[in-house]
Amino acid sequence: MEGIQPLFDRKMECIYCQHKSSVKNIRSRFIKVSSYDTDFCPQYSAESENALLYNIHVCPNCGFSYSADFSPYFPPSTRESIEDKICANWVPHDFGGERTIYEAIKTYKLASYCAVLKKEKHITIAGIYLRLAWLFRLSEDSAQEIRFMKLARQEYMNSYSTDDFKGTQVSEVKLLYLAGELSRRISDLPSAVRYFSMVIERQKQTTEPKIVEMAKERWQEIREDKKSQSAELIGS
């Protein structure tokens, strides 16, 4: 591996304006995940190996920002909206080089705005918000982390109610687990218990037993916390 750098240039063509540019990506052999948080946030061995930083492509020509999860289809009137609200106000900026966490946060915020204007699926928007929460967790900004966890949870709930997650890499069980775990992390425990229970109810139908086990663990943690709090109140 001597002489091979973790980052390499990848050619991209903007799905909005077809402008060609190059962006940095991390070679898969350099990506080393040491662990995952309970909401699937990956913990990388080094910040320089953080693949999250490079998920979003920002077109330097028009400003349209998107991930690989975006559909190439633009619903009626969305192009006009993007032109008016994104492109017309775009100050040329190149995010194609090496990124810091703070630069990556800017790209995700741009992508979330573009996704809303483009009327992307709720499941796609949820994924962007969730990753924003992860980046704010890494930067130790708990207020913004909670803000984007709330936004992500709402989009996951919208996705579940509209079934727009079907046909994507996010299964029903994983979606419900994430809705539950995000509810737990923002201290909405009744909703967390409800979503975890929905995951557990599907344990005989799912092909993802690990997620069911995780739901059981989170549910048990909530139960134990409630017992501890009750004991403290009685003791006081």
Side-chain angles (χ1 to χ4, degrees):
M1 251 191 274
E2 189 177 348
I4 299 177
Q5 297 301 310
L7 294 176
F8 70 98
D9 290 318
R10 179 184 175 192
K11 298 297 182 182
M12 296 290 291
E13 182 177 294
C14 176
I15 63 172
Y16 178 79
C17 74
Q18 285 73 56
H19 176 79
K20 293 181 174 63
S21 59
S22 65
V23 296
K24 294 291 184 187
N25 265 213
I26 300 180
R27 288 185 170 87
S28 58
R29 73 183 75 175
F30 288 94
I31 300 173
K32 297 177 182 177
V33 179
S34 56
S35 63
Y36 290 92
D37 293 347
T38 52
D39 61 354
F40 305 113
C41 175
Q43 296 296 327
Y44 295 94
S45 300
E47 182 179 323
S48 60
E49 301 164 355
N50 191 336
L52 289 173
L53 305 183
Y54 301 95
N55 278 346
I56 303 299
H57 175 50
V58 180
C59 178
N61 179 60
C62 69
F64 188 74
S65 308
Y66 59 97
S67 72
D69 295 324
F70 276 46
S71 164
Y73 171 70
F74 286 80
S77 80
T78 57
R79 279 188 166 274
E80 291 81 358
S81 183
I82 291 165
E83 176 63 35
D84 180 52
K85 293 183 169 66
I86 301 292
C87 305
N89 299 302
W90 177 243
V91 177
H93 188 87
D94 188 4
F95 285 97
E98 187 173 352
R99 293 176 185 171
T100 64
I101 287 177
Y102 300 102
E103 288 170 330
I105 285 171
K106 289 180 182 179
T107 69
Y108 278 92
K109 285 184 174 180
L110 285 167
S112 68
Y113 188 38
C114 289
V116 171
L117 292 176
K118 187 178 176 293
K119 299 179 181 178
E120 274 292 340
K121 289 182 175 183
H122 294 295
I123 196 68
T124 301
I125 300 173
I128 294 173
Y129 287 149
L130 180 61
R131 284 158 180 77
L132 268 167
W134 292 347
L135 290 172
F136 279 115
R137 186 179 305 164
L138 289 172
S139 61
E140 300 181 341
D141 187 336
S142 59
Q144 289 299 310
E145 178 190 351
I146 291 171
R147 175 193 171 202
F148 282 101
M149 283 195 294
K150 288 179 177 178
L151 290 169
R153 184 186 70 155
Q154 184 59 53
E155 289 300 324
Y156 280 123
M157 291 164 64
N158 291 342
S159 178
Y160 182 68
S161 64
T162 60
D163 283 341
D164 79 357
F165 65 92
K166 292 184 176 178
T168 73
Q169 293 183 337
V170 181
S171 66
E172 181 181 54
V173 164
K174 187 172 184 178
L175 186 158
L176 290 171
Y177 173 82
L178 279 168
E181 177 57 7
L182 293 175
S183 296
R184 186 183 73 87
R185 284 175 174 264
I186 63 174
S187 300
D188 181 358
L189 299 186
S191 293
V193 169
R194 183 171 71 253
Y195 286 118
F196 288 145
S197 296
M198 291 171 73
V199 172
I200 296 167
E201 287 168 4
R202 288 160 173 75
Q203 61 184 321
K204 292 184 179 179
Q205 294 85 39
T206 184
T207 57
E208 298 173 293
K210 177 60 177 174
I211 293 179
V212 175
E213 287 304 310
M214 291 173 71
K216 289 178 179 179
E217 290 169 3
R218 303 291 85 72
W219 187 88
Q220 187 63 31
E221 286 170 6
I222 293 171
R223 187 179 179 185
E224 289 172 0
D225 286 344
K226 284 183 178 179
K227 284 182 179 179
S228 298
Q229 289 169 8
S230 297
E232 288 174 5
L233 287 172
I234 293 171
S236 62

